[in-house]
DNA sequence: TTTCTTATTGCAAATAGTTGCAACAAGGAG
DNA sequence: CTCCTTGTTGCAACTATTTGCAATAAGAAA
């Protein structure tokens, strides 16, 4: 099942509408090869439709996060970045606070962590995955 | 050793200055009984010194985070909150995205996680502790 | 096809946080 | 004590993101 169908189904299920702007943002997200800021996504949307507003892009990204189509995280510079999940499973992010790079960790690899927190603190971690801050191998050597 | 001495030592070691504003912010942080926003901290500072600027408060909190005197996290509403660490050890935060409450987890309890990530991904997690998003026991029942 | 409901949007204003820079002040040297 | 260096600050401008609201448009029903 494609992202478009996923989107249509998610929206219908929640009584939400499939708008031209939402289709556009999803299409742009498909083109991304790396996580992008809202501003970068907005710029690409604007090359295809002059009238879309930045606040619409922010609202759409927020919605897509709720629908697990997108994963958002702060790369350490205060600017949120968004990554297309599409039909891929959500995953955890290891985000380097120096260079901003994000490493993916499958949810299953940290299953014992989430189980421990559920058992000990009755805390259910975000099913969309966690964002863990630190420093990557490359930046540790610097 | 008190926070004030810690602060003085940290600053001296890095060639930084001990200013009246920094002492004030630290003093206000001592008074906090729960994590507070920068605006809340600023308001308290203003009751004691009319001339301190909000940008100075932000800068000071940023510095205190680097010095491990303060821990900052986003409680899910987009507004950063700061918690006084003082002489207490840094710890992880379990932050409920519904009510904003933060649960503390000693660093030692997640030592196997940090070891695993270091071994498998060569990723060094933030020594100041991680912020894990999810939902607390109370909000799960809602 | 038309009509109606209501979710969504664009716009401007607002909020939270950051930055550039001239003026200020902490603190070391003499 | 004075003088000097330079880290720090207040201020205004800026950036990233959010919000209120009237206008728009998606889509269901007839």
């Amino acid at each position: 099942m494609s992202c478009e169908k996923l989107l249509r189904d998610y929206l219908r299920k929640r009584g939400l509408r499939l708008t031209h702007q939402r289709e556009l943002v999803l299409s742009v997200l498909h083109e991304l090869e790396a996580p992008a800021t809202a501003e970068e996504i907005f710029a690409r949307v604007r090359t295809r439709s002059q009238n879309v507003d930045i606040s619409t892009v922010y609202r759409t990204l927020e919605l897509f996060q709720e629908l697990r189509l997108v994963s958002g995280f702060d790369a350490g510079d205060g600017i949120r970045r968004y990554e297309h999940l599409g039909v891929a499973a959500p995953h955890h992010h290891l985000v380097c606070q120096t260079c901003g790079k994000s490493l993916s960790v499958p949810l299953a690899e940290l299953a014992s962590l989430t189980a421990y927190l559920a058992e000990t603190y009755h805390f259910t971690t975000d099913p969309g995955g966690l964002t863990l801050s630190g420093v990557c191998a490359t930046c540790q050597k610097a």
Side-chain angles (χ1 to χ4, degrees), chain A:
Chain A
M1 192 194 275
S2 72
C3 286
E4 287 73 16
K5 280 187 172 246
L6 267 176
L7 179 59
R8 187 188 305 277
D9 286 354
Y10 281 139
L11 291 175
R12 190 189 303 275
K13 184 181 296 178
R14 290 169 59 143
L16 306 176
R17 297 181 186 177
L18 178 60
T19 65
H20 177 249
Q21 293 89 337
R22 287 173 175 169
E23 287 184 309
L24 241 187
V25 170
L26 185 61
S27 177
V28 159
L29 286 163
H30 269 122
E31 295 169 7
L32 297 180
E33 292 175 0
T37 64
E39 187 61 43
E40 289 164 348
I41 293 164
F42 175 57
R44 283 174 176 257
V45 165
R46 293 280 275 200
T47 65
R48 290 159 62 179
S49 181
Q50 285 301 324
N51 281 334
V52 179
D53 197 74
I54 182 79
S55 61
T56 297
V57 174
Y58 274 101
R59 286 181 176 124
T60 304
L61 290 169
E62 187 71 22
L63 174 66
F64 285 2
Q65 273 190 283
E66 288 173 32
L67 301 179
R68 307 275 179 252
L69 289 169
V70 144
S71 179
F73 60 92
D74 180 329
D77 61 359
I79 308 177
R80 209 172 297 161
R81 280 168 179 75
Y82 301 86
E83 176 185 52
H84 183 222
L85 292 177
V87 294
H91 51 266
H92 301 298
H93 291 94
L94 306 181
V95 184
C96 181
Q97 300 300 294
T98 304
C99 67
K101 198 166 64 186
S102 170
L103 297 169
S104 300
V105 177
L107 296 186
E109 283 193 28
L110 303 189
S112 62
L113 166 71
T114 58
Y116 175 77
L117 295 176
E119 183 175 299
T120 309
Y121 295 90
H122 300 97
F123 184 85
T124 302
T125 57
D126 193 326
L130 300 166
T131 301
L132 308 181
S133 299
V135 183
C136 69
T138 307
C139 294
Q140 283 171 56
K141 288 168 175 141

